Amino acid sequence: MRIVTWNCRIGGFRKKAKHVAPLRPDILAVQEVEPLDNVLLFDGECQPTFRERATCPAYPRRSLAMFSYTETEITTVDCPDPENISTYAFRRYKAQKEQLTFNVAAVWTFATKINAKPYRQAHMGLMEHDKWIRQRPTVVLGDFNQSAIFKGDSWKTLMELVEPLGLVSAYHQYFGEQFGKETRWTHFHHGKELSKFHIDYCFLPAEWVPYIRKVEVGAYADWNKWSDHVPLIVDLDLPVNA
């Protein structure tokens, strides 16, 4: 199974999809996607087998979206709720690949006047949906806009919510690195190669760690034409009863 998250930067996904489609992700969370209501086909030969995007009132022209390029069955859990910003920034799905059923929460945190605490939508989602996360194996992935090196207590608070749920970062487990000391970066601020941060994550159930086959972070040179983020790719060989 392949799980991918990628911030495509200020829309244009309909044209950029041809660059991520060859990865053939079972689960693909994409941030900053433009409205797709009138888009029948994306550029490129390979088209998604599932796509869903809910227009966020804070950023109507760029929102969080979920795709699949395989036969993985995905069902949307949340209905858009303008009174609850986390339904757009912490968006829930049920997924089934062959005999394996699991939850997925796609994340894109941002600064907005709608939420008094900017970049805390993932915190809100984890608190509101802890019971749902515990129901079955859950993947939480996306652009968290958070790092252990940033000032404030936001990261510490995030970890205090993630850890009791039994979730761990696939990247950090695979490479054996500590939070804040990453050697591979997922975001290049304003597209500048030297302004680099690790702010995109894929949190998995700790029980899945033995089944991580590979974790890859896209190369800046390969992706900087399309976005200031690179994809985070997680490959797993999971038994059907994981």
Side-chain angles (χ1 to χ4, degrees):
M1 180 166 64
R2 172 164 284 179
I3 301 171
V4 179
T5 181
W6 181 48
N7 184 317
C8 70
R9 190 184 185 187
I10 317 177
F13 183 75
R14 67 190 73 191
K15 295 184 179 297
K16 300 174 183 178
K18 62 184 177 183
H19 303 291
V20 74
L23 297 175
R24 293 279 293 166
D26 295 280
I27 301 293
L28 171 63
V30 184
Q31 300 80 28
E32 299 197 32
V33 177
E34 76 277 15
L36 299 175
D37 294 346
N38 298 319
V39 180
L40 296 179
L41 297 173
F42 298 148
D43 281 8
E45 295 183 2
C46 188
Q47 299 296 314
T49 54
F50 175 88
R51 71 182 203 182
E52 192 262 4
R53 176 194 182 277
T55 300
C56 176
Y59 291 104
R61 301 301 300 174
R62 47 193 176 114
S63 290
L64 180 62
M66 175 63 69
F67 304 93
S68 178
Y69 281 84
T70 70
E71 297 307 310
T72 301
E73 298 179 12
I74 302 177
T75 305
T76 304
V77 173
D78 292 309
C79 295
D81 181 1
E83 300 300 321
N84 184 355
I85 200 69
S86 69
T87 62
Y88 304 95
F90 188 95
R91 194 145 180 78
R92 298 181 298 153
Y93 304 86
K94 177 183 175 182
Q96 183 164 341
K97 181 175 175 61
E98 298 177 347
Q99 305 305 312
L100 176 65
T101 303
F102 58 101
N103 293 332
V104 179
V107 170
W108 178 41
T109 70
F110 43 78
T112 168
K113 294 179 180 179
I114 295 177
N115 179 13
K117 293 184 177 181
Y119 303 109
R120 293 286 185 120
Q121 294 88 359
H123 298 65
M124 294 166 56
L126 290 167
M127 287 187 290
E128 292 175 9
H129 304 302
D130 62 327
K131 291 182 180 179
W132 175 79
I133 292 170
R134 296 176 192 276
Q135 282 180 352
R136 60 172 62 94
T138 298
V139 176
V140 182
L141 78 165
D143 177 3
F144 286 72
N145 275 303
Q146 300 280 348
S147 171
I149 66 171
F150 292 172
K151 294 181 180 179
D153 67 347
S154 187
W155 180 261
K156 178 177 179 291
T157 306
L158 180 66
M159 290 298 97
E160 288 173 350
L161 294 169
V162 167
E163 291 172 356
L165 295 171
L167 301 177
V168 297
S169 166
Y171 171 93
H172 296 84
Q173 291 291 320
Y174 183 79
F175 289 108
E177 297 179 358
Q178 297 178 15
F179 289 108
K181 295 184 177 181
E182 296 86 1
T183 60
R184 299 159 182 83
W185 300 276
T186 64
H187 174 55
F188 299 85
H189 193 51
H190 296 307
K192 297 180 180 179
E193 188 172 7
L194 296 180
S195 182
K196 51 196 178 184
F197 303 93
H198 192 108
I199 60 174
D200 303 82
Y201 305 93
C202 176
F203 290 99
L204 305 170
E207 307 85 65
W208 285 14
V209 170
Y211 307 111
I212 297 175
R213 180 163 58 86
K214 185 178 181 181
V215 176
E216 183 180 357
V217 178
Y220 171 84
D222 295 336
W223 294 90
N224 71 306
K225 292 182 180 179
W226 322 115
S227 175
D228 55 355
H229 287 248
V230 296
L232 174 65
I233 306 163
V234 178
D235 290 330
L236 301 118
D237 284 326
L238 284 163
V240 294
N241 60 346

